[in-house]
Amino acid sequence: MSILRATTFFIFLIGYSLFLYSCREMDLIGTINRNLLDLGAGLTMAAAILSLFFIAKKVYHISDLVKIMGIRKSSIIYLSNIIWWTLIPANWYYYTHRYNRGDYPPHADSYVIGIMGMAYFTILFFPPLNLFLWLSMRKSILPAKIFTKPTHYTGIALIWEIIFVLCLLLNLLVLVLTIIDGDHFTIPIIMFFTYTLLVLRGGKIAFLKSV
């Protein structure tokens, strides 16, 4: 087993162990450590998705990461738009699940506010999402290797690099918080957009290297 596969498997085991420990604690003393339960579920989900991605892309060693190819422009548009709207049911499950397990008072409307807030967010940022996709793919070559590096940094290449780095940092921050929070179905959505950002960056860099 490669170091890469072993690492993802180890993270999976840690997450699953935390999840089982929390469940066993509930059976023994009647209470549950929600933080450990959520973290365990989040790590398990993230590691499982990452492992499936490596299998699908035939990534066995760290050196194989530079060989990962992106997807076509049409696939990016269709998948991004479809998966974007799954934020609403994913968020609905998140708040409903936590309401049912007692995280919110029985008659509080906190979870309803959370559900409606994400629905507004999804609708409000749908046009900016497609504008960003259009600008990123306007002058790009796809599919391309997602971890490609520019031959040299011109002004335009540097600007795009900064944009993608900032977007990736924000995306990874949200991913980490989502994993800690154990937001089961939002985790794969955020991970998809992490991949999408890498694909868009690779396509843009590939175009800039060709001119």
Side-chain angles (χ1 to χ4, degrees):
M1 183 183 292
S2 68
I3 295 177
L4 201 61
R5 295 286 182 88
T7 302
T8 53
F9 183 67
F10 182 66
I11 295 173
F12 178 87
L13 285 181
I14 292 176
Y16 194 59
S17 298
L18 290 174
F19 181 81
L20 290 179
Y21 172 78
S22 299
C23 293
R24 179 174 173 77
E25 187 180 51
M26 181 177 64
D27 293 335
L28 291 176
I29 61 177
T31 60
I32 187 169
N33 190 322
R34 290 186 173 88
N35 292 334
L36 282 182
L37 181 70
D38 292 339
L39 178 60
L43 288 173
T44 303
M45 176 67 78
I49 293 170
L50 200 57
S51 296
L52 291 174
F53 176 78
F54 287 155
I55 292 173
K57 293 294 184 177
K58 298 179 180 179
V59 176
Y60 301 99
H61 305 283
I62 295 177
S63 58
D64 293 333
L65 291 174
V66 297
K67 302 175 184 177
I68 299 177
M69 295 293 292
I71 52 180
R72 296 176 300 173
K73 293 182 180 181
S74 58
S75 298
I76 292 176
I77 294 173
Y78 295 142
L79 290 174
S80 295
N81 279 272
I82 292 172
I83 293 178
W84 179 258
W85 288 105
T86 62
L87 282 169
I88 294 178
N91 191 65
W92 176 86
Y93 168 81
Y94 170 83
Y95 280 101
T96 302
H97 171 68
R98 275 150 181 74
Y99 177 79
N100 290 333
R101 78 176 187 182
D103 288 8
Y104 302 103
H107 302 293
D109 57 357
S110 305
Y111 80 104
V112 176
I113 294 173
I115 293 174
M116 295 305 297
M118 178 55 74
Y120 290 140
F121 171 86
T122 305
I123 295 170
L124 181 64
F125 282 89
F126 182 66
L129 167 69
N130 282 276
L131 177 61
F132 180 77
L133 292 176
W134 179 76
L135 290 173
S136 300
M137 294 187 294
R138 183 168 173 266
K139 292 182 179 181
S140 66
I141 298 175
L142 290 169
K145 293 180 179 179
I146 67 174
F147 290 113
T148 186
K149 294 190 294 185
T151 307
H152 59 279
Y153 279 105
T154 61
I156 296 177
L158 184 60
I159 290 172
W160 275 108
E161 193 75 287
I162 292 173
I163 291 173
F164 282 118
V165 168
L166 291 176
C167 289
L168 282 167
L169 287 175
L170 177 61
N171 182 271
L172 290 174
L173 174 62
V174 174
L175 177 60
V176 170
L177 294 176
T178 305
I179 290 174
I180 293 174
D181 205 25
D183 194 349
H184 308 84
F185 296 115
T186 305
I187 292 172
I189 297 174
I190 303 301
M191 294 182 77
F192 167 78
F193 283 107
T194 304
Y195 173 69
T196 300
L197 285 169
L198 291 172
V199 170
L200 293 173
R201 177 194 170 275
K204 183 65 72 174
I205 297 299
F207 171 79
L208 293 173
K209 288 171 67 175
S210 68
V211 296

